[in-house]
Amino acid sequence: MTMTNSMLINGIQVTGDGEAFSVINPATEDAICQCNMASVDQLDQAVAAARAAYPAWRDTPDAERSRLLHQIADRLEANADELARIIVQEQGKPLALAQMEVGAAAGWTRYNADLEIPEQVFEDSDSKRVIGHRKPLGVVASITPWNWPLMIAIWHIMPALRTGNTVICKPSGMTPLNTLRLVEIMNEVLPAGVINSVLGEAEIGSAISGHADINKVIFTGSTPTGQRILVNSATTLKRLTLELGGNDAAIVLPGSDVDAIAEGLFNSAFINMGQTCAALKRLYVHESQYEAVCQKLATLAEQQVVGNGLDDTTTFGPVQNANQYRQVIELVDDARNQGARILCGGSPSADKGYFYPPTIVADVCNGTRLVDEEQFGPVLPVIAYQDVEQAIALANDCSVGLGGSVWGSDTEQAGQIARQLECGTAWINNHAEVLPHIPFGGCKLSGVGVEFGLEGLLEYTQLQVINAPK
Ligand code: NAD
């Protein structure tokens, strides 16, 4: 399969003038494509193109923008196989999961296409009518990570376009190819300049966050990068949505039906090889059921078939990149050195590729790096607790607060405990479920703002109040 390595600026394919880099297949460690980063001058050209395209796109009737988004969803579905295969080769996930990612991308596009912003009426009295309406912001820049590269790009781009903004998107240099292709496909439908792509890492990223002619940055990635963006965008007072790292805790209540919840716990922790912002990353289990839960999880882990995502039998792919792979190795080794029990997995594969088997680590506690730091990989620490108040305190003893969950047979009790968790979403007997119509965002160092649903859409708009006497 030939994969495009060109950026798209103002509807024209261009090669970056900046540094060359290789996109690596994490299953083979082979370079699958050579790309070039954009120069800052090319970023300026992309911003100028988006700025020039903005008035016409802003003034395009709402129904027409909705129709065009549906057309994009049609094209995503028509090109689903190609997009899924690109994702597997640069990101590593098994093909079925990549197909799910493309399906979700199309679904999110359609959801945004159909979303309407109601007019707000603040006062409608004898003397005056005061309403609020929503205007687009202008040029929006999207900066995405490498874990769910296509889906997250769609999460950023579609609400921006739906509300009449034009867009520059900058994918992660680890997984740029699916986004370059996405922008090509979108340009078959949209006027030139409405969506543009640029390649680059920190230099282009900081040129984006400091750019005087970009009105908003929507960023998904790590907390330190999000903090840099926040600082750098202060001078231009940009709107920001920051979806950052998490270290989600789950609490299994005493008296749980272990057989009923084990698979849900496992899938919540290991979705996308654990490389999911809102995956379950710390599991607190009451001491009465600790061994039973640990053993069930280890059994499920051992059933996984680790391999290249393009092989039919593979259920579990590699870690996406060498840095993350080293991070997982380091955290598990550190836990082992502190006396943790490795129930399964626990060492990298000797084969080529960044393969690390699903790993369950017992006899750890807060204060161990594996528990305190976001592992963002295929390893789950399981911590025993004595009483529920202690479990809540341990779960909240964390600088980030993206998601959390409570598992148990008494859903009333689980609901009360869920409310005490310091996180943006608390699930009950579930974890990591994100849906286009349900707002999602973090608290503490997990971010600023929300995505999805009407609340998410409104973040791409400016409220204007019209105050009219009668
Ligand atoms: P990262 O922060 O290293 O990179 C994310 C993006 O930021 C990349 O496109 C990168 O090129 C760009 N970037 C790097 N330096 C920049 C700078 N100075 N200014 C602007 N942009 C810059 O994150 P990552 O390693 O790609 O992703 C993993 C992290 O993302 C994890 O911490 C994970 O929890 C988090 N994440 C969060 C969510 C969420 O919704 N909250 C979703 C997915 C991933």
Side-chain angles (χ1 to χ4, degrees), residues 7-23:
M7 310 184 295
L8 238 146
I9 297 177
N10 206 18
I12 298 163
Q13 290 196 314
V14 285
T15 303
D17 288 337
E19 204 182 313
F21 66 98
S22 303
V23 180

Side-chain angles (χ1 to χ4, degrees), residues 144 146-147 170 201 219-222 225 243-245 277 374 376:
T144 44
W146 46 258
N147 56 342
K170 192 210 81 58
E201 298 280 5
F219 169 77
T220 301
S222 64
T225 306
E243 294 287 358
L244 310 178
C277 51
E374 182 188 32
F376 214 63

Side-chain angles (χ1 to χ4, degrees), residues 341-358:
R341 219 169 5 125
I342 314 294
L343 297 178
C344 58
S347 41
S349 153
D351 298 340
K352 238 180 161 206
Y354 308 129
F355 291 106
Y356 199 97

Side-chain angles (χ1 to χ4, degrees), residues 86-87 119-120 128 228 241 278 324 450 454 463:
I86 295 173
I87 292 172
E119 186 182 77
Q120 278 177 291
K128 63 166 85 94
R228 268 177 227 125
T241 303
Q324 199 61 41
V450 292
L454 184 59
L463 172 68

Side-chain angles (χ1 to χ4, degrees), residues 282-300:
R282 299 176 285 148
L283 180 60
Y284 295 90
V285 182
H286 189 257
E287 56 187 359
S288 59
Q289 294 185 302
Y290 185 71
E291 286 306 326
V293 170
C294 285
Q295 292 312 325
K296 274 269 169 208
L297 291 175
T299 305
L300 289 166

Side-chain angles (χ1 to χ4, degrees), residues 181-404:
R181 183 70 185 118
L182 167 70
V183 172
E184 258 184 16
I185 291 170
M186 291 179 69
N187 261 272
E188 294 165 8
V189 173
L190 297 173
V194 170
I195 174 96
N196 307 273
S197 54
V198 293
L199 294 177
E201 298 280 5
E203 188 197 0
I204 288 296
S206 68
I208 287 174
S209 59
H211 206 290
D213 222 11
I214 292 177
N215 303 89
K216 174 184 171 92
V217 173
I218 160 87
F219 169 77
T220 301
S222 64
T223 296
T225 306
Q227 288 165 324
R228 268 177 227 125
I229 290 173
L230 185 64
V231 170
N232 208 32
S233 59
T235 323
T236 52
L237 217 62
K238 276 184 185 47
R239 299 303 179 86
L240 294 179
T241 303
L242 303 175
E243 294 287 358
L244 310 178
N247 193 7
D248 290 13
I251 299 174
V252 176
L253 296 176
S256 290
D257 180 346
V258 175
D259 287 337
I261 62 173
E263 211 166 297
L265 290 171
F266 181 84
N267 292 336
S268 306
F270 289 97
I271 179 163
N272 203 32
M273 284 54 71
Q275 303 162 120
T276 297
C277 51
L280 192 177
K281 294 180 179 133
R282 299 176 285 148
L283 180 60
Y284 295 90
V285 182
H286 189 257
E287 56 187 359
S288 59
Q289 294 185 302
Y290 185 71
E291 286 306 326
V293 170
C294 285
Q295 292 312 325
K296 274 269 169 208
L297 291 175
T299 305
L300 289 166
E302 273 158 358
Q303 287 165 3
Q304 300 304 310
V305 181
V306 179
N308 187 319
L310 288 178
D311 294 344
D312 289 344
T313 52
T314 295
T315 62
F316 209 89
V319 174
Q320 198 278 324
N321 59 73
N323 275 345
Q324 199 61 41
Y325 179 64
R326 280 192 290 271
Q327 163 86 347
V328 169
I329 294 170
E330 196 178 303
L331 291 181
V332 174
D333 286 351
D334 177 72
R336 190 185 350 249
N337 292 339
Q338 313 265 335
R341 219 169 5 125
I342 314 294
L343 297 178
C344 58
S347 41
S349 153
D351 298 340
K352 238 180 161 206
Y354 308 129
F355 291 106
Y356 199 97
T359 296
I360 307 291
V361 179
D363 299 348
V364 274
C365 51
N366 288 38
T368 307
R369 284 186 62 202
L370 179 60
V371 180
D372 294 353
E373 295 177 27
E374 182 188 32
Q375 71 275 38
F376 214 63
V379 47
L380 179 67
V382 191
I383 304 112
Y385 70 85
Q386 285 79 44
D387 67 73
V388 172
E389 289 308 315
Q390 179 202 15
I392 297 168
L394 290 170
N396 287 339
D397 175 24
C398 187
S399 61
V400 287
L402 193 55

